[in-house]
Amino acid sequence: MKKLWGGRFDGKNEEWIDAFGASISFDQALAKQDIQGSLAHVKMLVHTQIISKEEGQTIIDGLIKVQEKLTNNELIFTVQNEDIHLNIETFLHEEIGPVAGKLHTARSRNDQVATDMHLYLKEKVEGIIEKIIEFREVLVEKAEENIETIMPGYTHLQHAQPISFGHHLMAYYQMLTRDQERMEENLPRIDRSPLGAAALAGTTFPIDRKFSAKELGFSSIYENSLDAVSDRDFILEFLSNSSILMMHLSRFCEELILWCSHEFQFVQLSDTFSTGSSIMPQKKNPDMAELIRGKTGRVYGDLIGLLTVTKGLPLAYNKDFQEDKEGMFDTVETVEKSLAIMAGMIATMQVNKEHMLESTEKDFSNATELADYLATKGIPFREAHEIVGKLVLSCIQNGNYLQDIPLKEYQEIVPVVEEDLYDKLSSYTAVKNRHSLGGTGFDQVKHQIEQAKKALN
């Protein structure tokens, strides 16, 4: 098969070398965007009278036919045509003949592929933002159901202080809010047209780059043709934002995996998001949570891969850029599916409220409450801290808890202690009273949820 760029060459590559250099196995994912970009480009060529209206209409009609065949899965892409651009151009030539060659006037595959990726990522990031919003809505709904559900709060994975489970879920809501903000901030740099930069230096034809940008729905254009064809920052930014997003999902999954273990028994995941064992009949494994935790690594890899590809590239275009697409496609698919699974997993998750509360009553997570109580009685906090520390050690040695110590024994150590101490030591009271702004107190959690609902609406 004669290559569309073959005029300069009298030799011929072996098939395995052609296969190594080809990208059609993965960049066919850009077929829709490639046709979309071509339609805008040919309209611009007609608008600027670079080609005639008749030629332009013939090309447009041909592209629409190719588009219909793409929709109907009737196109067969070939390695011989290397990439999506040459494949589409070949299909167009089959539809309308030699006039198809005029489509590539004032355009290079360099600005063409960059345009395709901007169009693709713009659409995908907007879709990912919608999925983040859906997950945030699920988190708010589940948090509202669990405002007064008491659970242990942890530091160093050790019981620290009792908190509201709704408060814990709203922490992830805040993380996802920042993830959404980062994706939204990425959009202006994605929403920029490189079309018309040609190979690297622009073109001698009297093109109208703003016309084609408007046709494609871009809000701006690249101001420098070298930058236009060599920039992959917008993809790196997306991969970076996705890595942070996946890190947040992975942290949440780690907690879910712990919470549904026999040792914790805080939650139970739906059968839809769990699997069994081929040998152990009793098993119910949180495989979807584990997979999301694992897939975080591949998204990190996609980011590091493209950073490494681009770190030593001179301006402008280099064949290395062929390696910019698979990681982008992979991350898009991973993030989309992970968000959908997380939303479903949390929406259907059953919460063992009684067991969560019980786990805060057979520990020393109320030690800070006792120290704070002593401080309100005029004892310096550092002294109160030491007193409580010694009481905790005594309880551990005697096999009881702070709320089990008789009032008389407390008063022998600190005479100012009164009967109201025991209410202060209850987990419910401890959580309810933490009403500092952003704290775990029930009123504060309700406030967070109200603010979240306003933001989502």
Side-chain angles (χ1 to χ4, degrees), residues 334-346:
T334 301
V335 168
E336 287 175 339
K337 290 180 178 178
S338 296
L339 284 167
I341 287 172
M342 286 297 296
M345 198 156 49
I346 300 307

Side-chain angles (χ1 to χ4, degrees), residues 200-358:
L200 75 162
T203 176
T204 58
F205 288 97
I207 62 171
D208 186 340
R209 291 187 60 206
K210 290 183 178 179
F211 178 92
S212 55
K214 187 177 179 181
E215 281 290 315
L216 290 168
F218 286 123
S219 60
S220 63
I221 63 169
Y222 278 87
E223 299 293 337
N224 181 287
S225 60
L226 283 168
D227 184 41
V229 297
S230 64
D231 173 37
R232 296 298 182 270
D233 295 1
F234 68 103
I235 303 176
L236 286 166
E237 189 175 354
F238 165 69
L239 296 176
S240 176
N241 293 340
S242 296
S243 294
I244 297 171
L245 166 61
M246 289 300 295
M247 176 270 291
H248 289 150
L249 299 187
S250 183
R251 292 181 71 180
F252 200 174
C253 286
E254 172 71 9
E255 295 198 308
L256 291 171
I257 291 161
L258 289 171
W259 291 345
C260 64
S261 69
H262 182 75
E263 286 72 20
F264 279 77
Q265 298 184 51
F266 285 178
V267 302
Q268 184 172 335
L269 298 180
S270 163
D271 290 356
T272 303
F273 302 99
S274 308
T275 64
S277 165
S278 63
I279 189 173
M280 295 168 283
Q282 84 284 6
K283 294 295 294 297
K284 182 177 179 180
N285 301 325
D287 277 15
M288 297 305 106
E290 291 173 3
L291 271 173
I292 291 171
R293 185 178 61 181
K295 285 178 182 291
T296 300
R298 70 189 290 156
V299 173
Y300 290 0
D302 293 334
L303 170 61
I304 297 302
L306 186 55
L307 282 169
T308 306
V309 165
T310 54
K311 74 175 183 64
L313 295 185
L315 296 178
Y317 185 84
N318 299 272
K319 186 68 168 177
D320 311 50
F321 278 136
Q322 188 164 296
E323 295 300 310
D324 61 3
K325 299 170 195 65
E326 287 180 282
M328 177 179 71
F329 297 150
D330 178 66
T331 290
V332 164
E333 182 179 5
T334 301
V335 168
E336 287 175 339
K337 290 180 178 178
S338 296
L339 284 167
I341 287 172
M342 286 297 296
M345 198 156 49
I346 300 307
T348 58
M349 176 179 72
Q350 294 179 13
V351 181
N352 189 344
K353 298 183 180 186
E354 294 76 17
H355 191 71
M356 277 189 177
L357 175 61
E358 184 183 348

